[in-house]
Amino acid sequence: MSNPRILILGPPGAGKGTQSANLAEEYDVQHITTGDALRDNKDMDISDMDTEYDTPREYMEAGDLVPDAVVNAIVEEALSQADGFVLDGYPRNLDQAEELEGMTDLDVILSLEVPREELVERLTGRRVCDDCGANYHVEFNPPEEAGVCDECGGELIQRDDDNEESVRNRLDVFEENTAPVIDHYENRESFVIIDGEQTPDEVWDDIETAVDARVE
């Protein structure tokens, strides 16, 4: 199989990161996320774009939201350097989806679907070690001792954006901005809905089947 170009979509907590890592390993392609692309190209010269700053780094250091035009340019640069990819976290809105049309052709578009209350349970149950960053879940992947990291003995905490109010807000933002992106792709032959409520192994089986059926 030659270097498939894969887009993976889904709400926070759907498992995109896990399955993107599986795809990158199985098909020997690059895992491209917006965050990684920004970090890798933070000193890119954008002085010709009539933006407030001349590099993405200046936006990031100021704590300002990087404009769509800059994100689009950075993603395009990352895609141009990749010999096959799984794109995760972009496009986040319909304007970005339309920009992506001019950057590349997609072989497979995967949409992970998980019921909202399941997502809330997954995200609010996450715990992170305050020392080493190891991840746990109070139900699905608990530590041997409650509140204590198996790896280093550090304290497990709930991140601020994993409390229920923040989680529900993030899901609202996804539904408002990114759901139209899914509508944009859903009638294409390359588009596949994946039941993300299954176990990670079952989800991966369905993803692998979908990719193999669409890429020679």
Side-chain angles (χ1 to χ4, degrees), residues 129 132 134-136 141-156:
C129 177
C132 74
N135 284 276
Y136 298 87
N141 180 34
E144 292 181 10
E145 181 181 347
V148 179
C149 177
D150 294 345
E151 302 294 326
C152 73
E155 179 187 4
L156 300 186

Side-chain angles (χ1 to χ4, degrees), residues 79-143:
L79 294 179
S80 72
Q81 297 175 12
D83 206 8
F85 58 81
V86 52
L87 181 57
D88 167 15
Y90 180 99
R92 291 186 182 273
N93 56 51
L94 200 51
D95 287 343
Q96 290 183 351
E98 290 168 353
E99 285 289 328
L100 183 59
E101 301 278 335
M103 298 181 197
T104 188
D105 295 320
L106 297 168
D107 297 311
V108 190
I109 302 162
L110 303 166
S111 179
L112 298 181
E113 293 197 349
V114 181
R116 183 182 177 94
E117 291 309 308
E118 169 73 11
L119 293 168
V120 172
E121 184 178 357
R122 289 183 183 184
L123 293 167
T124 57
R126 288 200 302 201
R127 298 293 183 270
V128 180
C129 177
D130 202 25
D131 291 335
C132 74
N135 284 276
Y136 298 87
H137 192 281
V138 294
E139 181 179 350
F140 307 124
N141 180 34

Side-chain angles (χ1 to χ4, degrees), residues 6 32 52 61 146 167 178 195 199 202 211:
I6 303 164
I32 297 175
E52 182 177 359
E61 290 180 348
V167 164
T178 311
D195 179 3
T199 68
E202 289 170 334
V211 174

Side-chain angles (χ1 to χ4, degrees), residues 175-188:
E175 288 168 11
E176 181 180 349
N177 294 330
T178 311
V181 173
I182 295 172
D183 294 341
H184 176 76
Y185 290 121
E186 66 181 356
N187 292 322
R188 305 189 183 197

